[in-house]
Amino acid sequence: MKYGHFDDANREYVITNPKTPYPWINYLGNEDFFSLTSNTGGGYTFYKDAKFRRLTRYRYNNVPIDDGGKYFYIKDEDTIWSPGWKPVKTELDSYECRHGMSYTKFISSKNGVNAEVLQFIPLGFWGEIQKVNLKNTTSTVKTLKLYSFIEWALWNAEDDMTNFQRNFSTGEVEIEDSVIYHKTEFKERRNHYAFFSVNEPINGYDTDRESFIGLYNGFDSPEAVVNGKPSNTTAHGWSPVASHYIEVSLKPGEEKDFIFMLGYVEVDENNKWESKSVINKKPAKEMIAKFNTVEKVQTAFYELQVYWDNLLGKISIQSEDVKLDRMVNIWNQYQCMVTFNMSRSASFFESGIGRGMGFRDSNQDLIGFVHQIPERARERIIDIASTQFEDGSCYHQYQPLTKKGNAVLGGNFNDDPLWLILSTTEYIKETGDFSLLNELVPFDNDMSRAKPHFDHLKASFYHVVNNLGPHQLPLIGRADWNDCLNLNCFSKDPNESFQTTGNKKDGKAESLMIAGLFVVYGKEYIDLCTQIGKDEEAAEAQIHVNNMIAAVKEFGWDGEWFLRAYDYFGKKVGSNQNEEGKIFIESQGWCGMAEIGIEEGLVEKSLNAVDEHLNCDYGIVLNSPAFSKYYIEYGEISTYPAGYKENGGVFCHNNPWIMIAETKIGRGNKAFEYYSKIAPSYLEEISELHKVEPYVYCQMIAGKEAFKPGEAKNSWLSGTASWNFYAITQYILGVKPAYNGLSINPCIPSGWSGFKMSRKFRGATYNIEVLNPNNICKGVKTIFVNGKEIDSNVIPILQPNKEHTIKVIIDK
């Protein structure tokens, strides 16, 4: 069952039934100031960090779900309704929620009144605009009462949910004209406050939640709205809110606009006050003045649309498959921007309180974003590398506000360092900017210990070399990419965290996934060294890569597929000898991408095993058979029910690794089969089962052994976004940046006649047409550049600021 439709021309997903199977959300904001909004008006807003600078409150795991947000109430005589349907849930005469590129529109009507709410964050601005348009479509005068509503958070979202004995006494606000200011804790250690304004005179307000809602009411029937009048309250402690009350009279056919702004302000420590206990409102008033007319708002909205036109214009395709085109051209790239901004910090499944930005996550997210804004990618790489230690290890995550590492989720995940080689080499290939390697980057954010960024890459490479186990395979550490494969934990206490507990301190377990990862990015490291003239370093690194390949062939092959690991006791994990968990996806993907044993047929055999044992209707499951009992020596992976998350679920992040491996052996049909099984636009028809948004990737789809196969969880903030974009554009469509140009090597379904791609690269536009006259999957026979045949499948760097025509013929 569908709950809406794609509007590709406007780059929107249009939700026409508010009762989606789960809240379907969008992200507003592009850099520092962000907002989440659901299709019924739920969500919250924050500056940079959803833990330390959250402006509005949101309750996770609530009943009913998705209660609390940024709401508008319209009272039309005895009828009360909301443009986003919730929280009132009055049946509307019409309803649309249009999620677009960093904006959301609600368009609805009731009893002859049309309401449109446009929500967006202007570029480079620390405030969210909510433009409300009300129109009377009847032949009589309409007298309406409009109420806005947000609920302030107390700045530290974790403290807000725990420290009630303090927080119920600290809430403070100021009201001036049509602006409500939230200044809790401003008088002591904060130099920041928030405000909620409207560009019209108001007829009343409320800032105390109990007075507005009523102690025994819900968001659906606030006392002030039901009674038709505000209380004009000023909050002192308890739970501060912000609600404007406006009386509106509309003649037949008349419409009126109101511009609300939810903003964040920082002031100089020495300039906090206008007068005693009165905050310095000057910067807030300057912000409000920037967008206090409809014309100013429309200009800012247009600028936002142009911004996305430019971003999405850097890579666009034209194929025979509209679902593929909308993923590559619109939604996958859009999600890559969101994951770049958010990592795994703030969604409707991630509270924004715990993780911050992941070292591993952020490096991977960057590969789907680097073509859009390379300068921001460069900055991010430096931020990530700055949390590394001299031995190559690193904090597993860092807080975006401070950019300093933290060990909330533990450390010593031994795959982490290698991802820095991925992000750095992809950035340099995209931009040609080798100067990054000379940038002085601190270790552990200490500039006195700074070294050139290249030294960080070298430390990442040798961290693996210096941490090998009994089979000369990489020690897994606390875990590798699979946080739930905890081979050194041995936890019996339900109050322990699998990610922070290590009861076997000498950690002997080894990872075949890291082995494959090391070969892939070891080769990249060697190539980079060669490019910059470090031939001796390249030669030495090659010895270590060769040794790893030999170790994988000798100790990592199980006869039909690659092992997953060796456990603490030196026993095989992911072997046909095991009772459960005989085969895992990660090592097949990475050893396949590394082409280990490709000449002996090992890669093909392992991928055949993936198809036989792990492939299902909804994607490739992580392991099979799923674990039916708790294996203390394996850790968290065996705690999940069969078919969910890491225990036999379709963990979408790793499916692209198999897609890429399939292209290595030329099987375009199989690669695209896997792609289309998890790409959201192909799943729109089963939205009732799938549950989450049909326009963005999710982390997990329930696997073949689950109670409900095909049901998904944890949408938006997943490495799935960047890896699928990387797999489809660079390996299936086969247009991949290289140090010396743009490599063209498609591996497509044999049924395709070809495709077109426009690719902006190093200042030039490459208009690429791929033709497949004899319906094969792979094999570039001829390439013409501006009408002239070249003898390589790497197109050289072409003249910037011009368009160039590339014709590619696939044939035997």
Side-chain angles (χ1 to χ4, degrees):
M1 176 180 175
K2 297 203 310 184
Y3 292 82
H5 60 270
F6 287 96
D7 181 348
D8 294 336
N10 290 306
R11 297 197 296 251
E12 295 174 337
Y13 192 82
V14 185
I15 301 166
T16 53
N17 180 350
K19 298 179 183 179
T20 52
Y22 202 77
W24 288 359
I25 74 165
N26 196 14
Y27 284 82
L28 316 182
N30 294 294
E31 199 157 346
D32 291 331
F33 192 80
F34 302 103
S35 190
L36 287 70
T37 187
S38 76
N39 61 296
T40 55
Y44 58 95
T45 302
F46 61 94
Y47 168 77
K48 284 190 177 181
D49 191 318
K51 178 177 181 179
F52 292 118
R53 293 293 183 273
R54 190 179 302 216
L55 275 65
T56 61
R57 183 173 288 135
Y58 187 76
R59 296 165 181 80
Y60 286 83
N61 202 22
N62 204 9
V63 180
I65 197 166
D66 190 29
D67 248 11
K70 292 162 282 187
Y71 292 141
F72 292 98
Y73 300 88
I74 298 168
K75 186 176 174 70
D76 179 2
E77 297 182 348
D78 293 330
T79 301
I80 300 171
W81 60 286
S82 293
W85 183 63
K86 285 190 72 176
V88 181
K89 295 183 285 188
T90 298
E91 185 174 346
L92 301 174
D93 297 334
S94 64
Y95 160 90
E96 277 188 352
C97 170
R98 290 181 166 262
H99 285 323
M101 305 291 103
S102 295
Y103 69 88
T104 289
K105 286 181 183 177
F106 296 97
I107 306 170
S108 53
S109 64
K110 183 69 178 177
N111 294 345
V113 175
N114 288 357
E116 180 175 317
V117 180
L118 169 64
Q119 298 179 336
F120 73 102
I121 293 171
L123 296 172
F125 193 65
W126 294 356
E128 176 184 341
I129 301 296
Q130 300 166 0
K131 183 175 80 72
V132 179
N133 173 272
L134 299 178
K135 183 176 182 179
N136 178 7
T137 64
T138 72
S139 57
T140 59
V141 173
K142 280 283 188 180
T143 301
L144 309 172
K145 296 178 178 180
L146 175 66
Y147 298 79
S148 67
F149 177 81
I150 61 166
E151 187 177 10
W152 299 116
L154 296 172
W155 305 110
N156 182 324
E158 184 174 28
D159 183 80
D160 178 51
M161 295 189 294
T162 56
N163 195 6
F164 306 114
Q165 61 83 26
R166 169 179 167 79
N167 294 339
F168 283 165
S169 296
T170 58
E172 291 185 279
V173 299
E174 287 184 27
I175 304 100
E176 183 179 295
D177 299 326
S178 298
V179 190
I180 298 167
Y181 298 88
H182 178 218
K183 62 174 186 176
T184 298
E185 296 185 342
F186 185 77
K187 72 173 182 291
E188 59 261 27
R189 295 172 295 170
R190 297 190 181 277
N191 69 328
H192 40 267
Y193 62 81
F195 65 88
F196 192 32
S197 67
V198 64
N199 69 332
E200 291 284 334
I202 57 177
N203 301 100
Y205 58 86
D206 271 299
T207 67
D208 174 72
R209 189 182 71 194
E210 289 182 12
S211 300
F212 177 76
I213 292 181
L215 186 59
Y216 299 104
N217 293 14
F219 293 112
D220 59 333
S221 57
E223 198 168 273
V225 180
V226 172
N227 293 339
K229 59 181 181 180
S231 301
N232 296 335
T233 55
T234 302
H236 294 281
W238 295 108
S239 298
V241 300
S243 174
H244 305 91
Y245 169 69
I246 304 173
E247 296 174 357
V248 187
S249 181
L250 297 174
K251 298 174 183 176
E254 186 181 7
E255 59 186 294
K256 189 168 180 60
D257 291 296
F258 304 90
I259 301 167
F260 293 84
M261 181 186 295
L262 174 60
Y264 171 86
V265 168
E266 289 184 353
V267 294
D268 184 84
E269 287 282 357
N270 300 316
N271 196 25
K272 290 175 65 171
W273 306 100
E274 288 182 6
S275 57
K276 185 177 180 179
S277 301
V278 177
I279 61 175
N280 175 8
K281 302 183 183 67
K282 182 180 178 182
K285 292 177 179 179
E286 290 173 349
M287 288 177 66
I288 293 166
K290 286 183 178 181
F291 301 106
N292 59 359
T293 68
V294 171
E295 292 73 23
K296 292 177 182 178
V297 169
Q298 288 175 334
T299 298
F301 185 54
Y302 174 75
E303 290 171 352
L304 179 66
Q305 291 175 306
V306 170
Y307 173 82
W308 275 103
D309 287 343
N310 292 332
L311 287 185
L312 298 180
K314 295 188 175 182
I315 296 178
S316 62
I317 68 165
Q318 185 180 341
S319 75
E320 300 163 1
D321 186 342
V322 66
K323 295 177 181 178
L324 171 64
D325 291 358
R326 69 167 57 112
M327 286 310 304
V328 172
N329 296 342
I330 306 171
W331 291 102
N332 198 172
Q333 291 195 70
Y334 180 53
Q335 188 179 1
C336 285
M337 165 70 98
V338 172
T339 56
F340 175 83
N341 284 327
M342 299 288 127
S343 187
R344 310 295 173 267
S345 61
S347 73
F348 270 32
F349 296 88
E350 302 275 9
S351 68
I353 292 172
R355 296 200 201 192
M357 309 286 279
F359 187 100
R360 164 204 301 155
D361 298 329
S362 294
N363 276 301
Q364 292 175 85
D365 292 338
L366 189 138
I367 67 175
F369 171 83
V370 64
H371 68 285
Q372 292 183 322
I373 313 178
E375 57 271 23
R376 286 191 66 197
R378 190 184 199 274
E379 179 187 6
R380 176 63 53 79
I381 290 169
I382 293 171
D383 289 346
I384 296 167
S386 298
T387 66
Q388 191 177 30
F389 300 103
E390 283 95 338
D391 69 351
S393 63
C394 47
Y395 287 105
H396 196 49
Q397 62 278 313
Y398 66 97
Q399 289 299 142
L401 190 68
T402 64
K403 295 186 178 181
K404 290 187 176 181
N406 68 73
V408 172
L409 293 183
N412 301 317
F413 294 80
N414 280 355
D415 67 303
D416 273 350
L418 289 171
W419 302 108
L420 188 63
I421 299 174
L422 163 68
S423 62
T424 300
T425 55
E426 289 299 319
Y427 167 79
I428 296 174
K429 288 176 186 177
E430 180 69 37
T431 62
D433 176 20
F434 285 90
S435 71
L436 171 62
L437 300 174
N438 301 319
E439 188 85 22
L440 282 177
V441 179
F443 286 102
D444 196 16
N445 292 104
D446 182 351
M447 281 304 296
S448 70
R449 296 151 65 186
K451 288 188 177 180
H453 182 65
F454 177 82
D455 289 33
H456 285 260
L457 304 186
K458 185 173 182 178
S460 294
F461 180 87
Y462 282 97
H463 183 267
V464 175
V465 175
N466 296 329
N467 288 277
L468 300 177
H471 300 92
Q472 293 302 295
L473 296 167
L475 292 172
I476 197 169
R478 187 171 299 285
D480 58 24
W481 171 88
N482 189 335
D483 290 337
C484 298
L485 189 61
N486 315 116
L487 301 180
N488 300 302
C489 181
F490 290 82
S491 177
K492 294 182 179 179
D493 184 350
N495 298 310
E496 290 178 337
S497 163
F498 286 103
Q499 270 73 61
T500 58
T501 301
N503 293 314
K504 300 293 185 184
K505 301 297 182 185
D506 52 348
K508 300 174 184 175
E510 299 165 284
S511 167
L512 266 296
M513 185 242 160
I514 298 179
L517 190 73
F518 176 76
V519 174
V520 172
Y521 297 123
K523 290 176 180 178
E524 290 287 353
Y525 176 71
I526 292 164
D527 189 14
L528 180 64
C529 290
T530 303
Q531 291 288 330
I532 60 176
K534 292 183 178 288
D535 295 334
E536 291 184 8
E537 177 62 39
E540 182 183 348
Q542 186 68 59
I543 294 170
H544 297 297
V545 170
N546 292 344
N547 290 341
M548 187 65 71
I549 292 171
V552 172
K553 287 182 179 181
E554 183 175 359
F555 298 110
W557 182 249
D558 195 54
E560 295 180 73
W561 56 76
F562 293 99
L563 296 174
R564 178 61 177 86
Y566 283 92
D567 71 11
Y568 177 82
F569 302 107
K571 296 179 180 178
K572 295 177 179 179
V573 180
S575 167
N576 207 31
Q577 299 172 12
N578 299 130
E579 179 185 353
E580 297 179 319
K582 292 175 179 289
I583 178 172
F584 285 71
I585 190 174
E586 303 100 322
S587 47
Q588 316 317 316
W590 281 103
C591 292
M593 290 165 67
E595 300 178 317
I596 297 174
I598 194 169
E599 62 281 353
E600 299 104 309
L602 302 190
V603 173
E604 184 174 0
K605 285 182 181 179
S606 77
L607 293 176
N608 288 343
V610 167
D611 191 24
E612 180 181 353
H613 299 286
L614 302 179
N615 191 11
C616 75
D617 291 342
Y618 303 103
I620 311 168
V621 300
L622 188 143
N623 60 293
S624 182
F627 299 111
S628 62
K629 59 185 179 181
Y630 177 46
Y631 292 78
I632 191 171
E633 67 272 29
Y634 290 178
E636 186 176 359
I637 189 171
S638 60
T639 66
Y640 288 106
Y644 292 96
K645 289 278 284 181
E646 285 82 355
N647 186 20
V650 178
F651 208 93
C652 299
H653 186 149
N654 52 43
N655 277 225
W657 303 341
I658 300 296
M659 298 173 205
I660 294 171
E662 287 284 358
T663 69
K664 296 285 186 176
I665 61 171
R667 300 201 305 204
N669 292 323
K670 186 56 69 173
F672 193 76
E673 174 198 323
Y674 293 145
Y675 173 82
S676 59
K677 279 187 175 180
I678 66 168
S681 65
Y682 293 84
L683 307 176
E684 187 186 17
E685 298 290 344
I686 61 166
S687 289
E688 198 162 18
L689 167 64
H690 193 63
K691 288 184 79 84
V692 297
E693 297 91 339
Y695 43 91
V696 292
Y697 285 98
C698 57
Q699 178 204 71
M700 192 280 297
I701 301 171
K704 58 186 178 179
E705 296 178 71
F707 172 75
K708 199 171 185 179
E711 184 181 71
K713 293 187 180 78
N714 203 353
S715 56
W716 280 98
L717 302 188
S718 167
T720 310
S722 58
W723 272 107
N724 271 277
F725 188 74
Y726 189 68
I728 188 66
T729 57
Q730 298 199 20
Y731 288 92
I732 297 176
L733 300 176
V735 180
K736 184 175 177 61
Y739 292 117
N740 58 341
L742 202 60
S743 170
I744 312 289
N745 190 21
C747 184
I748 59 177
S750 58
W752 285 14
S753 62
F755 65 90
K756 294 179 180 179
M757 176 186 287
S758 174
R759 178 62 156 92
K760 292 184 179 177
F761 179 67
R762 309 262 183 109
T765 300
Y766 293 62
N767 293 319
I768 302 163
E769 182 178 17
V770 176
L771 301 175
N772 186 21
N774 292 314
N775 296 107
I776 64 174
C777 291
K778 188 171 184 176
V780 172
K781 182 179 182 182
T782 314
I783 295 181
F784 296 92
V785 177
N786 295 325
K788 295 181 180 179
E789 185 175 349
I790 63 172
D791 59 1
S792 168
N793 71 338
V794 177
I795 303 169
I797 307 298
L798 299 178
Q799 187 175 352
N801 302 316
K802 284 193 172 183
E803 295 196 13
H804 303 275
T805 301
I806 317 297
K807 187 175 182 180
V808 181
I809 299 174
I810 300 175
D811 210 343
K812 295 179 181 178

